[in-house]
Amino acid sequence: MLAGKHLLLIVGGGIAAYKSLDLIRRARAEGAEVTPVLTRAGAEFVTPLSVSSLAGKRVFSDLWDLTDEAEMGHIQLSRVADLLVVAPATADLMAKMAGGHADDLASTLLLATDTPVLIAPSMNVRMWEHAATRRNLATLRQDGIAVVGPGTGDMACGEYGPGRMAEPSEILDAIRARLGGGRLAGRHVIVTSGPTHEPIDPVRYIANRSSGAQGAAIAAALAGLGARVSFVTGPAEVPPPPGVDAIRVETAAEMQDAVTRALPADAAVLAAAVADWRVANASAHKMKKGPDGAPRLEFAENPDILATLSRAPDRPRLVVGFAAETDDVLANARAKLARKGCDWIVANDVSPATGIMGGAENAVRLLTPEGVEEWPRAPKAEIARKLAHRIAEALA
Ligand code: CTP
């Protein structure tokens, strides 16, 4: 669960550098952003092109690359990250770190930051066991630097012993542990998102204008705080964020089913724009024009997922619903809170003039038993982060 986390990965010059390519791939698959830095020695083992391709962004190598200090100076580069990871950390890099050297980009970044640092040492057995490395390691530990590995095994140089860089999966565990302390670590949250599609016939359906942007942002923010997120999404425009368990559904009935299966959970945020009705007489065959004129659709009411969940015996401790309204927002939201039996309602005005539905921003009111809070217009990601922190507080 590294969604929303930013890693600065320094790849040093060791045979294990190839494992760092896998580390980049896996970290990104978990939702992390990875900014790679390749030392001159590192570039002897893996190419800048493979590193940047996997990271999906340019690789920084030389202190003097950063000519445009205003755009991305070295100070900035090391401070945007949540964690600096050095893998492989060679004996030389460790010595530089312990001594406070700053004669290349990697060592300068490591000195110019107060961001936590994790190193994955990798070197020959004799180098690892040398008194100088022992001393440096002790210094680094004292400085608060986290260390993962090295493992023991056959080495590329033909010797056997400690010095092999930890495997990417172990490094990821160490990254998660280091970043962990997430306020929602160990919690499970269900999020519904997007529209539902209710079939009329095999090729037609009834839908609504929900893009799924707010729901996806909430799921990402919850995952960013360390929660395990079951993200039940209808056919939305916005893809599921990385780092969540995405469960794709089409209809309200399928969404209801998926939510029930995802239980138990500590909290649920039902942000989906569920269709209130489905077509009761949906056709199994494509409807054709004919002499009888337009078809007559009959509707049946869909299950109310929010009301059902709020009253379920195994209901999450905190159930949050949404109220998308075009008129009398507050009065309607209050009525919805009472009617649905949920704990909180996030109310927003989706009148076309607000540009909220399908837009990048939202302005909401949070209704809780304690009262109503006005949250000013802000990007959906920011509203999501605020809500995720409120949920963490409520569950604490
Ligand atoms: N909701 C749900 N299942 C439904 C309908 C709505 O879970 N069948 C949830 C939505 O995800 C949202 C909340 O209920 O969290 C309110 O949705 P909304 O469409 O605004 O409410 P409705 O129940 O449709 O009420 P109204 O018809 O008065 O707008």
Side-chain angles (χ1 to χ4, degrees):
M1 287 311 107
L2 293 174
K5 300 295 184 192
H6 188 163
L7 306 175
L8 186 84
L9 174 68
I10 296 172
V11 180
I15 187 72
Y18 75 94
K19 290 193 203 169
S20 300
L21 298 177
D22 194 34
L23 178 64
I24 296 173
R25 191 185 58 75
R26 288 171 180 239
R28 289 194 69 206
E30 283 196 34
E33 180 181 344
V34 181
T35 299
V37 173
L38 190 58
T39 66
R40 187 168 299 167
E44 298 291 336
F45 293 89
V46 290
T47 71
L49 185 61
S50 48
V51 173
S52 67
S53 307
L54 283 162
K57 55 164 73 177
R58 68 167 289 198
V59 54
F60 295 89
S61 307
D62 199 322
L63 195 49
W64 318 115
D65 278 358
L66 303 173
T67 43
D68 192 356
E69 278 277 330
E71 182 206 14
M72 184 53 124
H74 60 271
I75 305 288
Q76 177 68 10
L77 188 58
S78 63
R79 291 195 185 156
V80 291
D82 297 297
L83 183 69
L84 268 62
V85 181
V86 187
T90 59
D92 181 59
L93 258 173
M94 285 174 63
K96 279 183 173 168
M97 288 172 78
H101 290 251
D103 63 349
D104 64 4
L105 180 61
S107 54
T108 304
L109 290 172
L110 287 158
L111 193 64
T113 192
D114 52 8
T115 306
V117 179
L118 170 74
I119 63 170
S122 167
M123 65 199 71
N124 163 275
V125 189
R126 303 276 165 264
M127 291 168 88
W128 177 248
E129 287 175 345
H130 195 282
T133 305
R134 303 277 93 202
R135 218 166 35 235
N136 292 334
L137 183 67
T139 304
L140 293 176
R141 284 216 160 102
Q142 228 163 47
D143 291 347
I145 287 168
V147 183
V148 54
T152 298
D154 287 315
M155 317 220 49
C157 51
E159 297 193 59
Y160 181 88
R164 271 166 68 108
M165 187 171 87
E167 292 305 314
S169 60
E170 293 169 63
I171 299 176
L172 274 172
D173 287 345
I175 291 172
R176 278 191 229 97
R178 189 73 202 179
L179 288 175
R183 303 180 71 188
L184 286 171
R187 305 284 191 189
H188 176 214
V189 185
I190 299 171
V191 177
T192 69
S193 182
T196 64
H197 284 184
E198 307 298 331
I200 297 170
D201 70 14
V203 296
R204 303 181 178 96
Y205 57 81
I206 293 174
N208 61 64
R209 296 188 192 281
S210 166
S211 64
Q214 186 65 81
I218 290 167
L222 291 164
L225 293 187
R228 175 165 77 82
V229 179
S230 294
F231 183 64
V232 182
T233 177
E237 272 168 44
V238 174
V244 304
D245 299 334
I247 303 151
R248 290 166 212 269
V249 299
E250 293 261 329
T251 65
E254 288 168 11
M255 187 172 275
Q256 165 79 78
D257 201 45
V259 167
T260 307
R261 280 169 199 271
L263 288 169
D266 297 287
V269 182
L270 302 199
V274 184
D276 290 317
W277 299 281
R278 66 179 175 276
V279 180
N281 59 342
S283 167
H285 306 281
K286 186 184 168 196
M287 291 177 172
K288 306 290 278 182
K289 288 192 292 290
D292 301 340
R296 273 178 215 289
L297 300 183
E298 284 163 26
F299 290 93
E301 199 166 327
N302 268 331
D304 189 318
I305 303 167
L306 179 58
T308 309
L309 183 68
S310 298
R311 300 201 165 97
D314 52 349
R315 123 205 246 285
R317 191 136 66 82
L318 181 71
V319 179
V320 184
F322 270 70
E325 308 289 349
T326 55
D327 307 281
D328 298 328
V329 178
L330 202 53
N332 276 318
R334 280 207 171 101
K336 226 162 248 185
L337 184 63
R339 192 170 75 238
K340 306 253 186 179
C342 55
D343 303 295
W344 298 353
I345 284 270
V346 179
N348 57 3
D349 184 344
V350 292
S351 310
T354 64
I356 282 172
M357 207 134 183
E361 295 191 332
N362 207 348
V364 308
R365 291 188 179 114
L366 180 69
L367 282 77
T368 72
E370 283 76 51
V372 181
E373 291 171 28
E374 300 262 355
W375 292 5
R377 198 178 177 98
K380 285 180 175 173
E382 203 167 297
I383 300 273
R385 276 196 290 273
K386 202 163 163 180
L387 184 65
H389 279 284
R390 287 299 301 272
I391 291 170
E393 266 166 43
L395 294 180

